[in-house]
Amino acid sequence: MASYIHVPDEAPAVPKIDVTVDENDYRPGALKLMKELRPSWRPFEIKMKFFTDGITNKLLGCYVGATMQDVVLVRIYGNKTELLIDRENEVKGFRVLHAHCCAPRLYCTFNNGLCYEFLQGTALEPEHIRSQPVFRLIARQLAKYHAIHAHNGWLPQSDLWLKMGKYFTLIPKSFKDPEQNARLSREVPSARSLREELLWLQQSLSVLGSPVVLCHNDLLCKNIIYNEKEGNVKFIDYEYTGYNYQAYDIGNHFNEFAGLNEVDYSHYPGRDFQLQWLHSYLEAYKEHKGQGSAVTDGEVESLYVQVNQFALASHFFWGLWALIQARFSTIDFDFLGYAVLRFNQYFKMKPEAAALKLPE
């Protein structure tokens, strides 16, 4: 068994450029990268635009001319994010997905980031991912990801429990800021309580029979690019891409219906919507796996149960993640408040989700 991603031999190599980009004074470093990647661009003509949606890294678009046609995206890794993200695995995932026409081209890596192709289209908002025809396009695109074979003959296994175990060891026991410290002890469950829940999750979810597939693992709205003209969606940001339970990836996406900046879990999709979404997903998944496209009610119901229980694991994962970010990140975002939101929703959802039973 293996949890690593195997890159096909024919995938183009990705150069490593020995440049460090200062997140506070980014232009000199970005210009050095453009000298290698776009030697015909004259430095004084290069324009740079910051994209502000991310809460893990800083993202910069470099281009020349009045229109953003050929844009090189420069992603500068966030402080200490190597504790959370396997950067080597991210590059492997990027290359595999590009080989299957599921990702833009990766131009290079550099000392504290990577450069890649800009995808034309619109980054979605929570109201878009619920709408027709977009939700079916998302379901079918995710099915395409999940059908990719990138494990070189090994039986893939998820590293979800290993990763959450590692995150658990990194969560802060206290903060220097007294106010944050008070919030941590008042609003975040104790380490003992979190350890008990992590054990319950692993024991309860790993026996549900959800297949282990190549997952995106971070399918929030802004990571979905909709090209209305071409009638398709593409996913971006592969930092968490890896082998995981199929139902986790879908449950995690459903949790993201609540949004990020103004989180509202009343937007978590109801049963009727989920059944439509899951039916579209299973049709495409079976087509990609060469299993026809006929989908039974029992298959949809089983996936429904798995997805809603794995949605709990998603809340728990991002709750742990946000606690670590609250300690290390330099990005202006209330990570501690976000951790509280995720853990609160976990405990709110748990009784109903845990009561669901797989069909006989």
Side-chain angles (χ1 to χ4, degrees), residues 34-46 64 70:
M34 292 312 108
K35 187 179 178 184
E36 300 291 330
L37 300 175
R38 294 291 184 274
S40 64
W41 289 4
R42 294 187 288 187
F44 63 89
E45 290 182 340
I46 296 175
V64 295
D70 179 17

Side-chain angles (χ1 to χ4, degrees), residues 5 55-57 75 80-87 89-91 93-94 97 159-160 163 167 213-220 223 236-244 248-249 252 317-318 321-322 325 335:
I5 296 170
I55 58 168
T56 305
N57 312 290
R75 192 206 293 149
K80 300 285 187 186
T81 51
E82 70 278 2
L83 294 171
L84 300 161
I85 296 156
D86 180 338
R87 294 300 181 186
N89 199 62
E90 177 189 9
V91 170
F94 217 127
L97 291 167
D159 64 356
L160 178 65
K163 195 174 276 188
Y167 282 15
V213 296
L214 187 65
C215 290
H216 184 282
N217 288 322
D218 189 21
L219 204 52
L220 48 86
N223 284 345
I236 57 170
D237 285 5
Y238 317 106
E239 293 179 290
Y240 300 93
T241 294
Y243 277 100
N244 201 355
Y248 176 93
D249 216 10
N252 183 70
F317 180 93
W318 295 112
W321 173 91
Q325 287 283 61
F335 287 103

Side-chain angles (χ1 to χ4, degrees), residues 44 98 103 114 117 263:
F44 63 89
H98 177 67
L114 43 80
E117 179 187 10
V263 180

Side-chain angles (χ1 to χ4, degrees), residues 52-123:
T52 55
D53 296 324
I55 58 168
T56 305
N57 312 290
K58 304 226 169 138
L59 187 63
L60 182 67
C62 299
Y63 62 102
V64 295
T67 58
M68 294 176 70
Q69 284 305 312
D70 179 17
V71 182
V72 176
L73 292 177
V74 179
R75 192 206 293 149
I76 307 161
Y77 297 150
N79 184 46
K80 300 285 187 186
T81 51
E82 70 278 2
L83 294 171
L84 300 161
I85 296 156
D86 180 338
R87 294 300 181 186
E88 190 181 332
N89 199 62
E90 177 189 9
V91 170
K92 286 181 180 178
F94 217 127
R95 294 172 69 197
V96 165
L97 291 167
H98 177 67
H100 288 85
C101 304
C102 288
R105 190 172 157 209
L106 180 60
Y107 295 131
C108 74
T109 63
F110 55 95
N111 297 338
N112 61 327
L114 43 80
C115 297
Y116 57 100
E117 179 187 10
F118 177 76
L119 287 179
Q120 297 293 337
T122 307

Side-chain angles (χ1 to χ4, degrees), residues 18 21 26 29 41 52 101 146 148 161-162 170 176 189 220 237 240 243 262 273 297 311 317-318 322 324 328 330:
D18 184 18
V21 180
Y26 52 83
W41 289 4
T52 55
C101 304
H146 289 175
I148 290 172
W161 311 118
L162 203 66
L170 294 170
K176 287 177 184 170
L220 48 86
D237 285 5
Y240 300 93
Y243 277 100
E262 293 179 26
F273 176 91
D297 290 346
F317 180 93
W318 295 112
I324 299 164
F328 293 116
T330 59

Side-chain angles (χ1 to χ4, degrees), residues 160-161 164 196-210 245 247 305-310 312-313 346 350 353-358:
L160 178 65
W161 311 118
M164 285 214 275
E196 286 172 2
E197 292 303 323
L198 184 53
L199 189 62
W200 178 84
L201 281 167
Q202 184 170 359
Q203 289 174 340
S204 305
L205 304 189
S206 55
V207 296
L208 288 176
S210 183
Y245 299 100
V305 172
Q306 292 168 338
V307 161
N308 285 276
Q309 293 195 349
F310 269 100
L312 293 173
Y346 167 86
K350 185 184 173 184
L356 294 170
K357 294 281 185 282
L358 290 168

Side-chain angles (χ1 to χ4, degrees), residues 267-294:
H267 292 312
Y268 184 80
R271 178 179 164 85
D272 289 347
F273 176 91
Q274 285 196 38
L275 295 181
Q276 287 183 64
W277 197 105
L278 296 172
H279 196 280
S280 291
Y281 167 87
L282 282 170
E283 277 182 343
Y285 182 67
K286 292 178 87 170
E287 283 167 18
H288 286 300
K289 299 287 279 184
Q291 299 167 354
S293 60

